[in-house]
Amino acid sequence: MNDRNTPLKLPYRILLVAAAVVPVVLSTAVGSGLVNATQGLPDDAWGWGRLCLGAALLVFAAFALNILGWMIRVLLRRPENEDELRFLESLNRLGRTLGRPSRVIATLAALALIAPIAWLLPNNGLEPGTLYIMSAKDESGPANARRILVQQWNQAHPGNPVEFVGGPDTEPDKQHARMVQDARKAHQADVYVLDVVYMPEFISNGYLRPIDESGRSQEGAGDDFLDNVLNTCRDMSGTHEGLWALPWNTDVGLLYRHSGARGPASWADYFPGSANAAHLVGSENLTVTALEAIWAHEGDVVNQDGRLVLTPDNSAVDFDENVRDALKDLADVYRGKDPEDSVDAEAAALREFANGKTGVMRNWPVAYDKLAKPPTGLNSLEVTRLPHASVLGGQNLAMSKWTDKPRAAQALIEFLTSPSSELILFEVGGFAPTRDYAYRYATRPFRTELENAVMEARPRPITPHYTKFSEAFREGILYAIRNKGRYPADFPQKLATIAAGGSHGD
């Protein structure tokens, strides 16, 4: 063998071993990252391209591993046969062929090949581009607390400015229809501001991308979210594991009283003579009013976990004697009023209460600033919990499944729901916060009453078919109001069928 070219010296062999190992390691890492980052089957060509590239890199790595061991053995010891010697000689010739200009070209070519692979590898950076939030009209009044938070984000993240999309409607049913349309077809939004009752529907239909809990920031991953509020961000009606949103603001009914007005001990003490935000039209407010009346009468219909209370054979919702009593009392309260009246009951209730026509009002936390500040300022305003459980409301921030900026969208959601953001939403906008931090450091006088009311609040029925359920529920309640508390004979069966995903004929 001595008349053959001298084998490579040891330092060069070590460099070649490293050069052989690095592509295998890089291909394995990048390929695994691209494949694991894909959740289910991709929805577009770009997603399929990333998946196929990841798979191809893994196949290459597996093939390279088969010959990597042989190469290392040849490079780290003297050749023992003709095949091994020819391999080393070919490396010698390649080294002599690659002069300095050729090495520069080869280096640039390698960088050109590696750069796009490195760009595709998942990282902690944020994808650039505008983030679109689909939301209802901001209800925080002139203070515009939500816009303040967005302005803070925009200043800190000029590469990811936020824009709101959607219409001016605040009615939950109209908000829901607009967001479903976007989730099914338009795919304009990166983030949805979802009412808590619509979470099961959006999760079960595959409209959302789950929160990457391993990638949450230290501040955003704080554990001081109120338990029942954070639960609305999970799939409480199915088997989809994980966290599908973060809670932006919660909501609960409160009792507003003029100083000197007697503190009611029960629903019957305050509701018949109060100003309340109960719409007698087919809107979500009527669902809230009826459920709170039923709970106040020690009925259920829906239990503490958000599941419907059914008859033993599971064929119907269990309308027991307490539920029937609640419907009779509701009918008595609204006797003589037109159930089709479309007046804005919330605004009317505020006017009646502010003008002193009634000493008690049931309303939401955001009503406080409209009463405690000019022009209606009430120096003697008192705010307490209801004498019974309230409906748990609120809105969550969820990522659209089709966002092309998932890391940026999650970073935005974590920023908007951070402890400091929750404090701003409460102090400036009057929104009920979702974190204990905001209740501890806020200056609002009713913060303790509000936090206790939120923790005691109960969810509405948890079902992916909530929209249809609530529509049918309101129809039955309006019928009962018109008919002295009597509801249609098939009303309980209809509710159970719709909640389970079936259809019910008229």
Side-chain angles (χ1 to χ4, degrees), residues 228 295 299-300 302-304 389-393 454 456-460:
N228 61 334
W295 296 336
D300 274 324
V302 56
N303 65 21
Q304 296 280 358
S390 170
V391 161
L392 179 67
V454 171
E456 295 171 1
R458 298 176 58 169
R460 282 161 281 183

Side-chain angles (χ1 to χ4, degrees), residues 203-267:
I203 294 172
S204 64
N205 287 333
Y207 297 158
L208 302 181
R209 182 186 184 99
I211 298 292
D212 179 6
E213 297 189 63
S214 65
R216 291 176 66 186
S217 65
Q218 184 174 359
E219 183 183 28
D223 59 358
D224 68 330
F225 283 114
L226 303 184
D227 289 341
N228 61 334
V229 174
L230 186 61
N231 282 342
T232 66
C233 297
R234 305 187 186 279
D235 184 16
M236 298 176 66
S237 69
T239 58
H240 297 81
E241 298 293 335
L243 196 62
W244 294 86
L246 291 179
W248 200 10
N249 64 270
T250 186
D251 219 353
V252 69
L254 294 174
L255 204 63
Y256 294 81
R257 294 187 291 124
H258 294 298
S259 181
R262 185 172 64 91
S266 67
W267 181 91

